């Protein structure tokens, strides 16, 4: 598959020279990246399998939109419909972040140890998302919108447009709330509507890379959760004008 070549491509010039922010230890409860390095160094470090680093950066496709032809765009467009996926929209109404980390023992769906492995903690966003699992696999846990009050929502502390759960990732009460779990395997795609609560766990012994197509559906943004849309609107403007981005 052509999209599998992207893992090797992002180590090569000029893509591997791109300086991006990343999490040096993604086991920790931290919403703001604390490291910065060339993309090739971060990818090489994660690929060795002994690192807890994780990156989630939009800068690769923002700087090099030509890489999009390595992805199954036809599949993405079938999900989103016309008018959402176009290179002219990147940076305005379309953001395409790449996520990568290596999973370690102790983060199975049954145990859910909060400090055992890289992960993305429970949050929701105003944008809709089509995620493509390029290599490896990841565990997604989804909570319906009506669970919001039980998840103790708070506005992001870093000035970006999302809502995160103030519950500790290891809180056993989270297991009693209605939720859905799905493992995305290599080549799978999944659509998340605006304001879908989700947590992502990297599976033991698996190096996983995925690409997300964050696209703006203004009607859904304000109808799916009008309160969240209003309280995050100032941060949406910051992201739209490039004041806040990763």
């Amino acid at each position: 598959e052509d999209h599998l070549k992207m893992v090797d491509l992002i180590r090569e010039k000029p893509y591997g020279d791109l300086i991006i922010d990343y999490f040096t230890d993604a086991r920790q409860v931290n919403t703001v990246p604390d490291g910065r390095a060339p993309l090739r160094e971060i990818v090489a470090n994660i690929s060795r399998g002994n690192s807890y680093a994780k990156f989630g950066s939009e800068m690769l496709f923002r700087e090099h939109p030509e890489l999009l032809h390595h992805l199954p765009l036809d599949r993405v467009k079938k999900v989103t419909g016309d008018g959402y996926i176009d290179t002219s929209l990147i940076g305005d109404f379309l953001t395409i972040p790449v996520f990568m980390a290596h999973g370690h023992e102790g983060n199975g769906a049954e145990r859910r140890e909060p400090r055992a492995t890289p992960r993305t903690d429970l949050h929701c966003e105003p944008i809709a998302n089509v995620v493509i699992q390029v290599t490896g696999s990841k565990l997604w846990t989804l909570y319906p919108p009506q669970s919001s009050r039980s998840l103790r929502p708070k506005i992001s502390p870093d000035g970006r447009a999302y809502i995160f759960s103030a519950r500790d990732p290891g809180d056993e009460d989270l297991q009693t709330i209605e939720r859905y779990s799905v493992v995305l395997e290599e080549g799978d795609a999944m659509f998340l509507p605006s304001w879908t609560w989700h947590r992502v766990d990297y599976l033991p012994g698996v190096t996983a890379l995925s690409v997300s197509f964050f696209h703006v559906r203004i009607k859904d943004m304000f109808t799916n959760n009008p309160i969240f849309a209003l309280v995050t609107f100032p941060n949406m403007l910051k992201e739209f004008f490039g004041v806040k981005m990763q």
Side-chain angles (χ1 to χ4, degrees):
E1 291 288 341
D2 192 45
H3 66 272
L4 297 179
K5 298 177 183 177
M6 197 180 72
V7 180
D8 296 323
L9 278 174
I10 60 178
R11 296 191 188 192
E12 299 175 358
K13 288 182 175 291
Y15 316 116
D17 294 333
L18 187 66
I19 306 296
I20 66 167
D21 296 331
Y22 73 104
F23 297 92
T24 59
D25 188 346
R27 297 172 299 171
Q28 307 302 318
V29 180
N30 190 355
T31 60
V32 181
D34 59 343
R36 178 171 290 183
L39 181 58
R40 71 160 56 84
E41 292 182 12
I42 303 170
V43 171
N45 191 25
I46 292 173
S47 298
R48 283 192 287 268
N50 58 359
S51 169
Y52 293 105
K54 183 192 82 173
F55 72 83
S57 177
E58 65 173 279
M59 301 311 297
L60 180 63
F61 285 105
R62 185 183 284 262
E63 296 291 330
H64 300 285
E66 70 276 8
L67 281 175
L68 280 174
H69 75 270
H70 290 282
L71 298 173
L73 293 185
D74 289 343
R75 293 177 59 195
V76 177
K77 291 178 180 179
K78 283 182 180 179
V79 176
T80 63
D82 295 333
Y84 293 102
I85 308 300
D86 189 284
T87 54
S88 65
L89 300 175
I90 294 177
D92 294 325
F93 295 98
L94 176 64
T95 302
I96 310 175
V98 182
F99 297 89
M100 184 178 184
H102 180 86
H104 296 267
E105 293 296 335
N107 72 315
E110 298 82 13
R111 296 173 66 189
R112 303 305 290 263
E113 296 179 21
R115 304 292 187 269
T117 191
R119 67 187 188 281
T120 300
D121 284 323
L122 192 57
H123 70 288
C124 63
E125 298 154 309
I127 43 78
N129 179 16
V130 177
V131 57
I132 301 289
Q133 192 63 42
V134 178
T135 62
S137 55
K138 291 194 287 188
L139 170 66
W140 288 71
T141 304
L142 312 175
Y143 291 81
Q146 58 266 32
S147 300
S148 291
R149 181 173 296 182
S150 299
L151 299 177
R152 299 176 189 169
K154 285 193 174 183
I155 300 176
S156 69
D158 63 352
R160 293 173 57 228
Y162 67 92
I163 301 287
F164 76 100
S165 171
R167 282 188 175 272
D168 187 282
D171 190 337
E172 293 184 358
D173 286 345
L174 287 172
Q175 305 299 313
T176 66
I177 301 172
E178 181 186 3
R179 65 198 184 283
Y180 306 89
S181 295
V182 59
V183 174
L184 288 189
E185 305 285 357
E186 189 173 287
D188 286 346
M190 181 172 64
F191 174 69
L192 279 74
S194 299
W195 300 118
T196 299
W197 285 98
H198 56 285
R199 165 177 167 158
V200 187
D201 288 88
Y202 288 81
L203 299 173
V206 178
T207 300
L209 184 145
S210 65
V211 176
S212 286
F213 290 80
F214 290 169
H215 57 287
V216 176
R217 293 174 177 264
I218 295 177
K219 180 181 178 181
D220 293 350
M221 185 187 304
F222 285 94
T223 57
N224 288 6
N225 199 317
I227 294 177
F228 283 3
L230 288 174
V231 299
T232 59
F233 189 71
N235 287 356
M236 292 184 207
L237 292 177
K238 292 178 183 178
E239 292 198 15
F240 182 80
F241 289 109
V243 177
K244 285 287 182 180
M245 58 186 183
Q246 284 184 16

